[in-house]
Amino acid sequence: MRPLSKEWIAEVRAIGGISASVTVTMLAQLAISAVETFVVARLGTKVLAGVTLALNFYLLVFLVTLGVVTAVTPIAAQALGRGDEDRVRLVGQQGLWVALLVSLPNAMVLLICGCIFLDHSRSVEAHSASRSLSW
């Protein structure tokens, strides 16, 4: 077996350092989600279902926004690698504009859907209350 080169070991250490921070961040987010679930679950199954539905919808909108904005990073990195600082600055500015243009409509979608979820939950409660009274 061929011995590992110093460059290869240095690269593994660098990637390990970056991945360790990402791993810790993901574990922290998972722990926060678990605690939120335990806290909300004490309020009842309907509340837990509502929070889960809203958070899943929020996650969908957030990831779509994040996916669009994340495209700026490799473009800026490529320009930085070429030493083209003007292009890095331009890409960064355009990335901020894209983030603004994508985030505002998505924020409106979340606000509108929040109202729809609220109306739906009220109508479901009113419907179940009226059914229980009719029996």
Side-chain angles (χ1 to χ4, degrees):
M1 188 168 152
R2 195 171 72 173
L4 300 176
S5 67
K6 289 183 181 181
E7 293 87 16
W8 194 84
I9 292 172
E11 188 72 25
V12 168
R13 283 186 180 153
I15 292 173
I18 293 170
S19 65
S21 64
V22 171
T23 302
V24 168
T25 302
M26 292 300 293
L27 289 174
Q29 288 178 343
L30 182 64
I32 289 170
S33 295
V35 169
E36 286 175 349
T37 301
F38 293 140
V39 169
V40 173
R42 298 181 74 173
L43 299 175
T45 56
K46 288 183 182 179
V47 175
L48 180 61
V51 168
T52 303
L53 179 65
L55 285 176
N56 282 323
F57 185 75
Y58 168 77
L59 184 63
L60 171 69
V61 173
F62 173 74
L63 289 178
V64 167
T65 305
L66 183 67
V68 171
V69 175
T70 303
V72 172
T73 305
I75 298 170
Q78 185 180 28
L80 186 63
R82 282 193 315 257
D84 189 359
E85 291 182 16
D86 291 334
R87 177 82 173 148
V88 173
R89 193 174 299 114
L90 179 66
V91 168
Q93 290 171 352
Q94 289 176 348
L96 290 173
W97 280 112
V98 168
L100 182 67
L101 291 174
V102 170
S103 298
L104 289 177
N106 285 343
M108 296 304 295
V109 166
L110 288 174
L111 288 173
I112 290 169
C113 287
C115 295
I116 291 171
F117 287 154
L118 185 61
D119 269 354
H120 181 67
S121 68
R122 287 182 184 154
S123 66
V124 167
E125 288 175 4
H127 179 70
S128 13
S130 66
R131 286 190 55 126
S132 65
L133 288 175
S134 67
W135 290 99

